[in-house]
Amino acid sequence: MITINGKSYSGRSVIINNDQVIVDGVLQTDGFGDVKEIKVDAKGFAGILVIEGNATIKGNIDGQVQTRGSLSCKNIFGDVSAGGSINCEDIDGDANAGGSVNCNCIGGEVKAGGSINRS
């Protein structure tokens, strides 16, 4: 289960593209309008999350996250790719960011267009 801007969805592959939410390849009928910041409550979501913009994730992601914007999150138990900066607690896999990466612990390789800061 994953909640995006107050609406809940179930699936292993979630794509957020503008006003569209696609879950396991199926376009969902309810979008969320002209929201600039995507807020995700993951509650242990397992799968692939693709976001076409900036995102704030509450909870952990057991899988991969890709975003064209910046990403703020707790823990990701997989790889992360962001067009902007990544700010999180821990990443078990690789981190690739167009901006800076600010995390406590990164289990894999880190590539950043900006600075890399580990606590």
Side-chain angles (χ1 to χ4, degrees):
M1 177 76 68
I2 190 166
T3 303
I4 304 165
N5 288 359
K7 296 180 182 178
S8 295
Y9 304 92
S10 292
R12 297 236 347 121
S13 172
V14 178
I15 299 171
I16 304 166
N17 187 1
N18 298 318
D19 186 35
Q20 297 180 330
V21 177
I22 302 165
V23 179
D24 294 336
V26 177
L27 177 65
Q28 304 301 299
T29 57
D30 52 344
F32 38 80
D34 294 329
V35 176
K36 301 289 185 223
E37 180 77 17
I38 306 297
K39 295 188 180 187
V40 177
D41 189 345
K43 295 181 186 173
F45 171 76
I48 299 170
L49 179 61
V50 179
I51 302 167
E52 298 293 323
N54 298 328
T56 300
I57 299 174
K58 179 182 173 186
N60 300 319
I61 300 284
D62 185 10
Q64 300 178 0
V65 177
Q66 301 170 5
T67 179
R68 288 201 180 190
S70 294
L71 177 66
S72 177
C73 59
K74 188 167 175 143
N75 298 303
I76 297 178
F77 304 111
D79 299 330
V80 182
S81 176
S85 297
I86 299 171
N87 296 293
C88 64
E89 289 187 16
D90 296 330
I91 298 172
D92 279 1
D94 298 334
N96 186 349
S100 60
V101 176
N102 302 295
C103 294
N104 293 333
C105 180
I106 301 169
E109 294 183 21
V110 181
K111 296 179 185 173
S115 61
I116 299 171
N117 301 305
R118 296 183 190 197
S119 301

